[in-house]
Amino acid sequence: MRLPPALLAALLVIPLVPHAVSADPVAPPAPAVRDFGNGPERNEVAADVPERAEALAAQAEQPGTLSHDRGYPRRTRLPVPPENPADASIKLGLVPHHGIAPRLNDLQQRGDRVSAQVIGRSYGGRDLYLVTVTAPESAAGTREQERIRERIENDPAAAARDRKLVKRYKAPVFVNANIHGNEWEGTDAALRVIEELATSKDPKVADLLARTRLYFNITANPDGRVNGARQNGAGFDLNRDFVTASQPEVRAMRQIMIDAQPVTMIDLHGYVNGTLIEPTTPPHGANYEYDLFIQDTYANGLGMEAAVNGLGYTVEKDGVYPAQIPFRDSAEGWDDWPPIFTPQYAPFHGAVAAHTVEIPLRVNGSDYTQQPVEELRRRSAINTDVAAAAIRATYAFVRDRHDRLIADQIEVFRRGAAGEPSKTVPLGIVPGFGPEDVYNTTFPRAYVVTGRRSEAAAARLVDHLIANDVRVERARHAFRADGRTYPAGSYVVDMRQPKRGLANVMLEAGADISPRVDAMYDISGWSHGLLWGAGVDGVTSLRVQADPVKAAAPTGSVPRTPGALALKVTDAKDVLALNDLLAQGTAVTWADGAAVVPASARAAARAVSERYGVAFTPGGTASGVPLSQVRIAAAASADELFTLRELGFAVTPVSTAVLNAGYDWSGTDVLFVSSGLSYTALNPAARAALDAFLTAGGVITRGATGAAFNAAAGLLTATAVAGRGDANGVVRVLSTGGHVGGGSPDHSFVYSPRWFTGLGPEVTVEQSYAAEGPLVSGHWRPNADGTGGQDAARGQAAVVSGRDERGAAVVLFGTEPMFRNHPKGLFPQVAKALYWASSVTGAAVKG
């Protein structure tokens, strides 16, 4: 589910007594007004991710692909995991994770329509299951289907002219279940529908499976399913990760969408009463072919609504409200603007109807712990019925609209390949579609990706684009575009390609949509082009000889000149390489944002250069402070903890409770505070131990919790000012040098932004919000009283550093440099803060 807290509160007013009868008609829930007091949702799981997370992550397999050389069925014997009586599904009367493989093994043997496979592993090492349901196919038939699929994507103009193509093609349908682990019932509904389709004697089912392939991701989040948690084993909300793909479960889902190329997909969630069925309210994603999308998605939404309401559940008898469609029934606050959600990402791979479906009766949270088992199972049974009805309605929709859906997918790819302008959707294209629903973008002729800031960053971005099925080429020779000369080897993303919408949604700067809506569901601004550390330019003309690339070229190098070597920390790969050297015990000095490695460690430098693709330069005679491996105690959110570990730092999660229980600070160089730690809530012994650490240790903070810690602990003289709680997006910044700001990108990311005023003489401004804007893309309005807007942030300090009177080296972030593991180009800011804080204070701690 992706529902704001206030909307949850308004929608979840249901009778808790089974079969209660109301004397008077019960009105449907009133539209909710979002409460901005607590700020927007993030991966706020502090100090709860196990320290063995690195080992678990190493077990997570890369996603498997769909074989196009084997026919169907494919009877794969799935390995059965050990029985786990603690699986949270059991209490609800649902199928535990260890019960899924046996069910699928049995279904594969009961007919010739069901094929199951393991497509990867979760962060916690659990199998991910994909089930394909279709009529039997020979190997030759499967190869023909793949040829048609490729033709639709790669030659859509010819595919559109082929009148026989749609008749021969099996329309792919994708059902995604249980992406939020404690929204369980989609899994059980999928298993029910698979069994129905596998065993049905109805000629209509046989006809359906002859003309479609149904793909079921049985549980997208088995870690969360077992643990009764929304997040996966890394503490990530998987339904926020699609344009970043930091988690193995999301990479597996991405591969399904690339390989299957579904015309329609539904994502099964909970819990909103009545059942919420997309399409959405505005703002609508500007990179979709929305005229096609809204017609198909609204039509399927109406069909699912009819199917859900047709089950006969009522408010009076069952506590179930009629279904609702946000596009029709709400003004704003449930949008399809960011491509971070499964149904908002799927259209870029050809889904012309894509939906979040929120089943009605809550069984998670406090209800899971407080409601009687009988009531929970009653609710889960109803929820399973509702989810199954949504699946059946969707496959019926695809059966009835088969030819049009395939034609619409072809048209999406044709427009991209032809380079047509963004199409303005006609008003009234579906009932209620008005001016507030119209959003467009301008596609450049191409994007040019260079390593002018970091070759490693450019390579990472290129590899990410390719992994998302975006086509990238590499220039054979130098070329000019828009009056600028680009060197040979520059990467070119020609926007005349079928999936140009996905390329653009990642690479464009985006838009400030603050004037157009007051309430947004989640993030409103993002930009791989501005935040991932590469040089990215949109150009209006393109004349270049270029070759397609399957992977970025190597970027590592070590100069031949003798002597010391320098590694400037400008990218996350540089951080990884440096931390690798430090972990080996290599003698390294730190000065002005660069590490210097002695000539005696040239072999180690060459090894990490090849491993991480980083470029060393001659070190000269530069001197600096000795640097050792940084040991971090982190009271941090899950995304920050994940990112710090991914960068190769040694991290121990802490919290108020951990410190109050007694914590040994002798193994810590820097304390990172952003979540879960209150200085004022520490007991006297814990506070005394922390104060002793602060005489020699470093501190990095972020956000409201970090600002409160700075004030309570008496660190830097700085007053933190909060922007509006839901403000977020890409901002222009001015870096002024110092220990952190030097060499930083010209853009940063904010989420519930902060800035610092009343700075003491010991404080250095590392980075400020630009006087122009500062918002480039996103949503940042002032509060009702006029405070907290982007105008108030102009020119204000966004990141500051200094030494407090006890000697602690401190950095305060008002920005979000590690948000959901996304803004890759900002990670070096955090690393440089950690290296500086450790190098100037860590010797005393380690001694």
Side-chain angles (χ1 to χ4, degrees):
M1 185 187 69
R2 57 180 185 120
L3 203 63
L7 192 53
L8 268 175
L11 296 179
L12 291 174
V13 182
I14 61 173
L16 296 181
V17 180
H19 310 296
V21 178
S22 173
D24 301 309
V26 180
V33 177
R34 180 170 176 175
D35 177 11
F36 299 110
N38 295 322
E41 177 189 348
R42 63 170 291 132
N43 296 327
E44 205 65 77
V45 182
D48 287 337
V49 180
E51 290 190 60
R52 58 190 292 263
E54 300 98 324
L56 293 174
Q59 298 173 12
E61 295 178 352
Q62 291 299 310
T65 57
L66 297 175
S67 170
H68 303 303
D69 297 323
R70 299 171 55 201
Y72 289 96
R74 304 169 182 177
R75 294 185 176 90
T76 304
R77 188 71 182 174
L78 303 175
V80 177
E83 185 173 339
N84 178 9
D87 189 304
S89 312
I90 296 172
K91 182 177 181 178
L92 303 174
L94 301 174
V95 179
H97 185 259
H98 61 261
I100 295 174
R103 288 276 293 271
L104 296 178
N105 285 335
D106 177 64
L107 285 169
Q108 289 184 96
Q109 298 304 314
R110 292 173 65 183
D112 56 6
R113 296 172 175 175
V114 176
S115 303
Q117 66 184 105
V118 174
I119 54 168
R121 288 184 178 173
S122 70
Y123 184 88
R126 296 179 173 90
D127 285 343
L128 303 169
Y129 306 112
L130 178 68
V131 172
T132 305
V133 183
T134 193
E137 294 174 16
S138 66
T142 298
R143 288 193 292 271
E144 182 194 26
Q145 289 297 308
E146 175 57 13
R147 284 194 295 270
I148 296 173
R149 188 204 68 77
E150 288 183 344
R151 193 177 185 199
I152 288 171
E153 178 185 353
N154 300 328
D155 194 2
R161 294 191 298 268
D162 187 343
R163 296 182 179 180
K164 296 180 180 180
L165 180 146
V166 295
K167 303 298 182 184
R168 302 198 313 273
Y169 189 47
K170 289 185 170 183
V173 183
F174 179 34
V175 178
N176 201 49
N178 199 203
I179 192 169
H180 289 150
N182 62 351
E183 298 165 15
W184 289 271
E185 293 92 343
T187 292
D188 297 81
L191 291 170
R192 177 186 295 178
V193 171
I194 291 167
E195 183 168 10
E196 292 170 356
L197 295 172
T199 59
S200 175
K201 305 298 184 184
D202 189 337
K204 291 184 179 179
V205 171
D207 178 65
L208 168 76
L209 299 183
R211 304 180 71 223
T212 62
R213 280 189 192 157
L214 303 174
Y215 297 97
F216 295 84
N217 189 19
I218 301 299
T219 168
N221 185 0
D223 296 351
R225 183 176 187 84
V226 170
N227 297 325
R230 178 185 181 91
Q231 299 85 2
N232 74 338
F236 269 69
D237 185 331
L238 300 176
N239 204 40
R240 303 291 185 274
D241 192 43
F242 273 90
V243 291
T244 306
S246 69
Q247 301 303 298
E249 299 92 334
V250 170
R251 294 192 289 272
M253 286 180 270
R254 178 180 70 187
Q255 198 63 48
I256 294 170
M257 288 182 269
I258 291 171
D259 290 344
Q261 201 169 290
V263 295
T264 301
M265 74 84 56
I266 60 172
D267 205 26
L268 297 168
H269 290 250
Y271 301 94
V272 179
N273 194 9
T275 300
L276 184 147
I277 301 169
E278 289 185 349
T280 72
T281 65
H284 303 299
N287 286 282
Y288 303 130
E289 303 301 330
Y290 214 80
D291 60 319
L292 305 173
F293 182 81
I294 188 59
Q295 292 184 81
D296 292 325
T297 304
Y298 191 47
N300 192 35
L302 293 173
M304 285 191 281
E305 177 188 43
V308 168
N309 290 344
L311 294 172
Y313 293 115
T314 66
V315 177
E316 297 82 2
K317 180 172 66 71
D318 309 292
V320 177
Y321 286 104
Q324 56 183 308
I325 298 175
F327 173 80
R328 181 192 64 198
D329 300 331
S330 302
E332 59 180 34
W334 187 280
D335 55 87
D336 58 25
W337 185 253
I340 57 175
F341 314 115
T342 324
Q344 277 64 59
Y345 177 78
F348 296 117
H349 294 293
V352 290
H355 309 259
T356 291
V357 177
E358 301 275 358
I359 54 182
L361 301 180
R362 195 174 78 160
V363 295
N364 60 8
S366 60
D367 289 81
Y368 185 89
T369 57
Q370 296 176 14
Q371 290 295 322
V373 170
E374 295 78 7
E375 171 61 8
L376 291 173
R377 293 189 174 189
R378 181 191 76 87
R379 294 183 187 184
S380 281
I382 292 174
N383 288 336
T384 303
D385 287 348
V386 169
I391 297 172
R392 295 189 201 101
T394 295
Y395 72 60
F397 166 77
V398 175
R399 178 193 64 212
D400 297 340
R401 209 177 176 105
H402 175 277
D403 292 6
R404 174 171 174 173
L405 292 172
I406 296 171
D408 285 351
Q409 183 181 83
I410 293 170
E411 176 64 7
V412 169
F413 293 148
R414 188 203 64 77
R415 292 177 187 178
E420 294 184 359
S422 176
K423 187 177 180 64
T424 299
V425 184
L427 302 184
I429 191 169
V430 298
F433 193 95
E436 71 280 3
D437 292 300
V438 177
Y439 287 81
N440 291 92
T441 192
T442 301
F443 298 111
R445 177 62 184 84
Y447 285 99
V448 182
V449 180
T450 67
R452 61 175 178 262
R453 289 201 70 254
S454 166
E455 292 287 351
R460 178 183 52 245
L461 179 56
V462 165
D463 286 339
H464 184 73
L465 291 168
I466 293 170
N468 281 273
D469 206 30
V470 172
R471 299 174 185 180
V472 184
E473 299 172 304
R474 198 161 190 241
R476 297 178 188 172
H477 313 288
F479 66 98
R480 289 183 63 79
D482 290 5
R484 183 170 186 167
T485 299
Y486 292 94
S490 298
Y491 296 100
V492 177
V493 181
D494 187 338
M495 291 297 285
R496 291 180 181 172
Q497 62 171 292
K499 296 185 179 179
R500 59 99 181 259
L502 184 53
N504 206 54
V505 82
M506 290 183 173
L507 295 177
E508 70 175 347
D512 178 357
I513 57 172
S514 307
R516 296 201 61 176
V517 290
D518 184 64
M520 291 286 293
Y521 185 74
D522 199 86
I523 63 168
S524 315
W526 62 92
S527 175
H528 296 55
L530 296 179
L531 296 179
W532 276 43
V536 178
D537 299 323
V539 297
T540 59
S541 62
L542 182 65
R543 293 186 64 184
V544 61
Q545 290 183 316
D547 299 311
V549 296
K550 295 183 178 180
T555 55
S557 63
V558 176
R560 295 176 180 270
T561 54
L565 300 169
L567 179 62
K568 191 173 183 180
V569 176
T570 58
D571 185 72
K573 294 293 183 69
D574 302 321
V575 180
L576 271 168
L578 178 51
N579 282 338
D580 193 332
L581 290 172
L582 293 172
Q584 296 176 44
T586 305
V588 175
T589 56
W590 177 256
D592 300 325
V596 177
V597 179
S600 60
R602 177 173 287 266
R606 185 177 294 108
V608 299
S609 173
E610 293 175 356
R611 186 175 302 137
Y612 301 109
V614 300
F616 286 85
T617 59
T621 58
S623 61
V625 180
L627 184 64
S628 299
Q629 189 174 20
V630 183
R631 301 166 300 178
I632 305 167
S637 57
D639 48 349
E640 292 168 320
L641 187 60
F642 179 92
T643 299
L644 290 170
R645 286 172 164 164
E646 186 182 58
L647 291 172
F649 287 105
V651 187
T652 301
V654 297
S655 63
T656 304
V658 168
L659 299 192
N660 280 338
Y663 180 73
D664 181 3
W665 288 98
S666 64
T668 298
D669 304 313
V670 180
L671 171 64
F672 186 98
V673 181
S674 66
S675 180
L677 177 57
S678 169
Y679 184 86
T680 58
L682 296 175
N683 61 40
R687 190 176 303 178
L690 174 56
D691 288 342
F693 165 79
L694 293 175
T695 63
V699 179
I700 314 296
T701 78
R702 191 273 306 164
T705 299
F709 181 88
N710 176 72
L715 301 176
L716 298 187
T717 306
T719 300
V721 181
R724 181 166 136 163
D726 68 331
N728 68 90
V730 181
V731 292
R732 296 182 185 89
V733 291
L734 176 65
S735 297
T736 51
H739 312 296
V740 178
S744 294
D746 296 330
H747 297 87
S748 191
F749 187 81
V750 295
Y751 203 75
S752 296
R754 277 168 172 73
W755 53 93
F756 303 99
T757 62
L759 304 179
E762 81 280 15
V763 178
T764 296
V765 177
E766 300 279 352
Q767 195 171 75
S768 300
Y769 294 110
E772 178 188 356
L775 190 68
V776 175
S777 60
H779 187 265
W780 187 350
R781 284 189 170 192
N783 296 309
D785 63 2
T787 64
Q790 56 176 299
D791 288 350
R794 290 176 178 172
Q796 299 293 337
V799 183
V800 299
S801 69
R803 301 287 295 274
D804 82 342
E805 60 183 14
R806 288 165 291 197
V810 182
V811 180
L812 311 179
F813 282 93
T815 57
E816 283 272 2
M818 295 189 288
F819 180 77
R820 294 179 185 164
N821 194 239
H822 177 71
K824 311 291 187 182
L826 308 184
F827 295 174
Q829 290 184 340
V830 180
K832 287 190 287 187
L834 290 163
Y835 293 140
W836 171 71
S838 174
S839 65
V840 299
T841 62
V845 178
K846 294 172 186 176

